[in-house]
């Protein structure tokens, strides 16, 4: 099989030791005038395995995270939004240039993504973004349903309505992100909502494992965001009212 090309990018700039990542654009993709980069996606008509254009538009990442974790969050956002394209090989130096950091935290972040199954290590070339088939997506949905649905239905029968109602802000945050068409923000809000629901079970290991599966599913996310977000609202309405049959219908449909 012919290897996908490597995104080599420009040569990274030299940085002083311990200097923070300089990534403009708090909470939004940076404009070309801020980054000096062309829009993502490469030349018009480029094939998926052609050399990609600039990736991971520069953005200000959370200051409290380590440099490696800042880069990891940026890369995860890029996976969700499609800025990192399935099947394409990206070199650590090229990605480091986009984040204006050295290649070391990029390699560390990409190794973490490799352990999570998001990318594959390509010897002496970089990291290839994993390609997800329809079967992969169906299997992930099935595993998530096997894990989350029984817990949610048990909680539906035991958690009082006022506690469910306390999750309204999380559901509304997902709706707001969906309305903005912000897939990265929606991914965070979606996982926060599911994590809070499962948190009522009092099993921290359940929450961790479910979140890992949820994140994997989001890399192959093809659902319509608003419809998905509104299911959270509909579920809360049923749970607050104590309508168990309606809640069960929503929960099972959510993972279908």
């Amino acid at each position: 099989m012919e290897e996908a090309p490597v995104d080599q990018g420009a040569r990274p700039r030299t940085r002083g030791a311990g200097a923070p990542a300089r990534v403009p654009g708090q909470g939004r993709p940076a404009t070309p005038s801020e980054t000096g980069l062309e829009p993502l996606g490469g030349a018009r008509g480029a094939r998926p395995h052609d050399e990609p254009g600039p990736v991971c538009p520069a953005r200000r990442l959370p200051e409290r995270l380590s440099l490696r974790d800042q880069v990891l969050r940026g890369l995860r956002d890029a996976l969700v939004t499609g800025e990192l394209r399935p099947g394409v090989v990206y070199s650590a130096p090229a990605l480091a240039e986009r984040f204006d950091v050295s290649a070391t935290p990029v390699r560390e972040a990409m190794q973490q993504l490799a352990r999570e199954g998001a990318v594959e290590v390509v010897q002496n070339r970089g990291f290839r973004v994993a390609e997800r088939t329809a079967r992969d997506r169906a299997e992930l949905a099935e595993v998530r349903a096997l894990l989350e649905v029984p817990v949610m239905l048990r909680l539906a029968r035991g958690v009082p309505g006022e506690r469910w109602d306390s999750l309204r802000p999380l559901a509304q945050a997902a709706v707001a992100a969906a309305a903005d068409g912000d897939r990265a923000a929606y991914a965070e809000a979606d996982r926060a909502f599911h994590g809070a629901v499962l948190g009522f079970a009092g099993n921290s290991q359940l929450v961790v494992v479910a979140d890992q599966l949820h994140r994997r599913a989001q890399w192959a996310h093809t659902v319509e965001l608003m419809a998905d977000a509104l299911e959270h609202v509909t579920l809360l309405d049923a749970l607050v009212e104590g309508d168990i049959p309606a809640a069960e219908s929503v929960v099972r449909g959510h993972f279908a």
Side-chain angles (χ1 to χ4, degrees):
M1 182 181 296
E2 183 179 352
E3 289 286 358
V6 181
D7 175 20
Q8 294 296 345
R11 183 177 180 179
R13 292 185 290 274
T14 302
R15 297 179 47 78
R22 300 188 300 275
V23 202
Q26 177 70 42
R28 58 174 175 79
T31 64
S33 63
E34 292 174 324
T35 64
L37 303 178
E38 295 298 322
L40 293 178
R44 180 174 298 179
R47 295 170 299 167
H49 291 266
D50 285 342
E51 182 173 346
V55 298
C56 303
R59 64 191 69 183
R60 186 176 300 279
L61 297 169
E63 298 294 340
R64 296 181 182 177
L65 298 177
S66 69
L67 196 55
R68 175 260 193 193
D69 287 341
Q70 290 180 45
V71 173
L72 179 59
R73 172 169 286 190
L75 292 172
R76 281 172 168 166
D77 286 351
L79 285 167
V80 170
T81 61
E83 294 170 286
L84 290 179
R85 293 183 286 159
V88 175
V89 176
Y90 296 93
S91 68
L95 292 172
E97 174 66 16
R98 310 310 179 203
F99 285 108
D100 195 16
V101 297
S102 72
T104 298
V106 173
R107 289 193 182 97
E108 292 173 351
M110 293 298 273
Q111 290 288 353
Q112 176 61 37
L113 291 175
R115 289 191 289 271
E116 295 174 3
V119 301
E120 306 161 355
V121 178
V122 181
Q123 190 70 26
N124 299 323
R125 298 184 68 206
F127 303 85
R128 180 186 291 111
V129 178
E131 299 182 84
R132 296 291 170 83
T133 65
R135 179 169 181 172
D136 292 332
R137 293 191 292 270
E139 288 177 348
L140 280 167
E142 181 180 9
V143 174
R144 288 188 64 213
L146 289 171
L147 183 65
E148 294 191 39
V149 170
V151 176
M152 288 186 176
L153 294 181
R154 175 168 58 83
L155 293 172
R157 295 176 173 86
V159 175
E162 58 270 20
R163 293 192 70 191
W164 291 120
D165 204 37
S166 70
L167 302 186
R168 293 281 185 191
L170 295 176
Q172 290 303 322
V175 170
D180 290 340
D182 188 336
R183 285 192 171 270
Y186 184 79
E188 291 289 336
D190 187 26
R191 290 202 323 279
F193 178 82
H194 280 259
V197 170
L198 296 176
F200 286 150
N203 186 327
S204 60
Q205 295 303 312
L206 167 69
V207 174
V208 169
V209 172
D211 186 68
Q212 291 170 345
L213 287 169
H214 198 165
R215 193 186 293 279
R216 285 193 176 204
Q218 288 176 330
W219 297 328
H221 217 234
T222 58
V223 300
E224 201 280 314
L225 296 186
M226 185 57 74
D228 199 57
L230 290 177
E231 286 184 355
H232 296 164
V233 176
T234 302
L235 174 61
L236 285 184
D237 289 341
L239 292 170
V240 170
E241 295 297 323
D243 189 341
I244 304 303
E248 181 172 358
S249 176
V250 175
V251 167
R252 293 192 185 281
H254 195 64
F255 293 97

